[in-house]
Amino acid sequence: MNALLDVKGLRVSFGSKEVVHGIDFTIGAGERLALVGESGSGKTVSALSLLGLVQNAKVCGTATFSGLTDQPPRDLISMPERDMLALRGREIAMIFQEPMTALNPLYPIGDQIAEVLQLKEGLTRREAWNAAIEALRATGIPEPDRRATAFAHQLSGGQRQRAMIAMALAGRPRLLLADEPTTALDVTLRGQILDLLAQIQQSNGMSMLLITHDLNLVRKFANRVAVMENGHIVEQGAVEEIFANPQHPYTRKLIDSRPERDVVESDVGQAEPVMVAKGMKVSYPVRLAGFKGWFKKGEFVAVKNAQFEIKPGRTLGVVGESGSGKSTLALAALGLMPHKGELAVVGKGWGPDSASNKSIRRVVQVVFQDPFSSLSPRMTVEEIVGEGLLVHEPSLSLEQRRQRVVEVLHDVGLTEAQFPGLLHRYPHEFSGGQRQRLAVGRALIVQPQLLILDEPTSALDVTIQKQVLKLLQKLQRERGLSYLLITHDVDVIRAMAHDVLVMKDGDIVETGTVREVLDSPREEYTRTLVAAAA
């Protein structure tokens, strides 16, 4: 197979610190190579350096690209910026990991895709707009004409990722660099996106460099895999060979990082539920089309007639596709979203206007999906973790508050011995998994009974995900915590949940114990979710 891209001796340094240490790999025409490893292994910086997108870095080595047949092979590393500008998006495109930072918040999605088509394809504004709508339609976004006029914040996570893919593929590149392209997607959308990329690849012979920590995705999608650890490629070869007989200890560690179930299975019987919902409905006002919109607003129902209960020491897992209503349900459970029907916490009514909000707020705490955005970059660890005590236990002295912070940090696996000056450090000084431990500590400091876990591990690589899940399992056993777990990862549900609630288009379509729902699903939708995760 002819090499479309041949990388030899790639080194990337920031000042005196080298982070990528002379790696070699090739990508053949029409081939899919997966680059896997933990956060900080050098995967993303290696890919970005190929397009000259790493600022303040010294890049050495060669990356010979044989793109267009009418041009000789070119070295991407030594390519002048003017030539690189012409190549980016046209011959080599990139899908970035976080669409909210990659998409411009000031322009509609359609305009951003049309801009690529005007620059790279020379289309008129009208032609580019029509082509942008077709590009969105090709990714499976519903109502692409309407979505093209939407801004990034008006789309769900899955829809934003599809818009990013549409933009990257608009110029019909020969090579696509995909940095965690499905991390924010649920399992069924993940399969649809992979099928879409495979279809486009077959139609135009496009090659792919897939950067991911999702080994299940690698197994299904890639032809070859290269494993990175601390800036080195420690093993590479055909996917079947690597998964069947990994040679390097680090590769074996990644493959063995699937979440494991370790929860207390005891029946709580007649114990009083921590949270109960009956006939709960959550809706948003929407503008009606035409002149009717001048006089009244319509209604979009995001959660319809939800009913569930969470007993002490048990986990209710909520699973479903993007837009199914999972996150809205979590916001309502946090008392942050107006709702109709009944929602009670430890027997008390709960909602945005509830008079007992402050006392209930201590009972219900939350751990968000992305710890980097949920932790203030201007506050120290002591300030972040101890903030809840200022509200709920204002009588504590500074020393008492500090002692409580130290104790809860120890419980989540962060100590002064590991991190000298721990209390005075800032979030950016920690890895993703460590930041998520800080987020768990912040939630635990006020001694809650229920934690709402909103995709708590989806932003983490597989080995760190396993560590955080083990931590949550340990805390549940020791403290008798209840969890409302929002996730699109069926493996996480299997490892953590006692009971499962399956949502589709705002409806709860199936409920039961984890074994009843995942091992013997009654609904076709549930069977699709389970099959997509297999």
Side-chain angles (χ1 to χ4, degrees), residues 14-60:
F14 295 91
S16 60
K17 182 176 177 60
E18 188 173 83
V19 296
V20 177
H21 311 290
I23 64 173
D24 302 336
F25 64 88
T26 62
I27 303 176
E31 186 179 45
R32 298 183 289 232
L33 172 68
L35 196 57
V36 302
E38 296 178 285
S39 299
S41 62
K43 309 184 303 294
T44 298
V45 76
S46 297
L48 292 172
S49 66
L50 299 177
L51 290 177
L53 295 177
V54 185
Q55 293 185 347
N56 304 317
K58 180 181 178 182
V59 182
C60 303

Side-chain angles (χ1 to χ4, degrees), residues 315-328:
T315 299
L316 174 63
V318 183
V319 66
E321 296 177 294
S322 295
S324 63
K326 304 189 305 295
S327 295
T328 301

